Amino acid sequence: GENVEQHPSTLSVQEGDSAVIKCTYSDSASNYFPWYKQELGKGPQLIIDIRSNVGEKKDQRIAVTLNKTAKHFSLHITETQPEDSAVYFCAVLPWRSNFGNEKLTFGTGTRLTIIP
Amino acid sequence: DSGVTQTPKHLITATGQRVTLRCSPRSGDLSVYWYQQSLDQGLQFLIQYYNGEERAKGNILERFSAQQFPDLHSELNLSSLELGDSALYFCASSVDEAGGGVGEQFFGPGTRLTVL
């Protein structure tokens, strides 16, 4: 099955600086890579995703880059703000050979703390 | 607010008991997924239903079962509960479009289960 590794497990950055979280995966057939943000007491919230035919995607202060050859993808948050403090999870979905068989495999999470 | 609702928010019960967790997907979403989140195991996929039928199974114990009803809401039944079943249980939903499209998964707020 798919194996997803996420680093670092904790990250503290000064407000205004950038944060980068990286995930590597094992299944070269994977083609969908979402990132989720989970705040305390809440469910994971999809913040950005990328598909295998795209190398980079940006949404305001958040960007995701994908390197399919190296089988890794990264979340970049620029100009960090206190409200960015949360746990971030990457996830990977393999190419769907059977309709409806969507099994996301999650990374172990990164606890991001923004220092005011 | 993702549009996915889960009840109850908290559940405290004793070992050996049986509980039912309920999930209502976003309007229009046909797929429902169940995940377990514990401190040592992270986010683990349990099971997926699409339009009433089981589609994919993950690390779901035999003591656990789920179903999706004609109105598309889903229930996760946990029986013979053990201390180790204490965790957050999340439901997610997606449109799961036909034709090979990958639908983003939207998570509910979760049910915190405590087994004493």
Side-chain angles (χ1 to χ4, degrees), chain B residues 62-75:
Chain B
E62 286 190 10
R63 301 183 286 110
F64 296 179
S65 65
Q67 59 185 131
Q68 186 179 28
F69 295 86
D71 67 352
L72 300 176
H73 90 271
S74 178
E75 293 181 355

Side-chain angles (χ1 to χ4, degrees), chain A residues 31-32 36 38 41-46 49 51 89 93 96 98-108, chain B residues 33 35 37 43 45 48 50 55-56 58 90 94 96-109:
Chain A
N31 68 346
Y32 177 60
Y36 287 85
Q38 186 175 21
K42 296 185 178 180
Q45 175 194 5
L46 179 67
D49 58 14
R51 302 181 192 275
F89 291 94
L93 186 70
R96 189 171 58 180
N98 300 310
F99 171 66
N101 187 18
E102 300 186 359
K103 179 186 170 184
L104 275 176
T105 300
F106 284 83
T108 48
Chain B
Y33 312 77
Y35 292 88
Q37 186 177 41
L43 264 168
F45 167 74
Q48 177 206 359
Y50 173 75
R55 282 302 177 127
F90 288 104
S94 73
D96 198 12
E97 299 165 342
V102 175
E104 296 92 341
Q105 294 186 22
F106 296 89
F107 282 74

Side-chain angles (χ1 to χ4, degrees), chain A:
Chain A
E2 179 68 90
N3 184 41
V4 180
E5 292 189 3
Q6 182 172 346
H7 298 282
S9 56
T10 61
L11 179 61
S12 295
V13 301
Q14 209 70 36
E15 181 178 352
D17 288 350
S18 296
V20 181
I21 303 169
K22 182 175 175 178
C23 284
T24 59
Y25 60 97
S26 59
D27 188 347
S28 57
S30 294
N31 68 346
Y32 177 60
F33 309 90
W35 284 93
Y36 287 85
K37 174 184 181 183
Q38 186 175 21
E39 297 175 271
L40 197 61
K42 296 185 178 180
Q45 175 194 5
L46 179 67
I47 55 172
I48 196 167
D49 58 14
I50 193 167
R51 302 181 192 275
S52 62
N53 57 341
V54 177
E56 183 174 356
K57 183 177 177 181
K58 191 173 181 180
D59 182 4
Q60 298 183 338
R61 297 186 297 107
I62 294 174
V64 56
T65 57
L66 171 65
N67 184 329
K68 281 215 74 185
T69 303
K71 290 190 281 188
H72 67 71
F73 59 110
S74 300
L75 177 70
H76 304 255
I77 306 174
T78 58
E79 300 171 19
T80 53
Q81 301 168 3
E83 53 265 36
D84 294 330
S85 293
V87 178
Y88 291 81
F89 291 94
C90 65
V92 175
L93 186 70
W95 176 77
R96 189 171 58 180
S97 55
N98 300 310
F99 171 66
N101 187 18
E102 300 186 359
K103 179 186 170 184
L104 275 176
T105 300
F106 284 83
T108 48
T110 296
R111 183 174 298 279
L112 175 64
T113 303
I114 307 301
I115 305 165

Side-chain angles (χ1 to χ4, degrees), chain A residues 44-45, chain B residues 1-5 24-27 29 91 93 105-109:
Chain A
Q45 175 194 5
Chain B
D1 184 2
S2 67
V4 178
T5 60
S24 292
R26 297 187 318 158
S27 177
D29 284 359
C91 164
S93 75
Q105 294 186 22
F106 296 89
F107 282 74

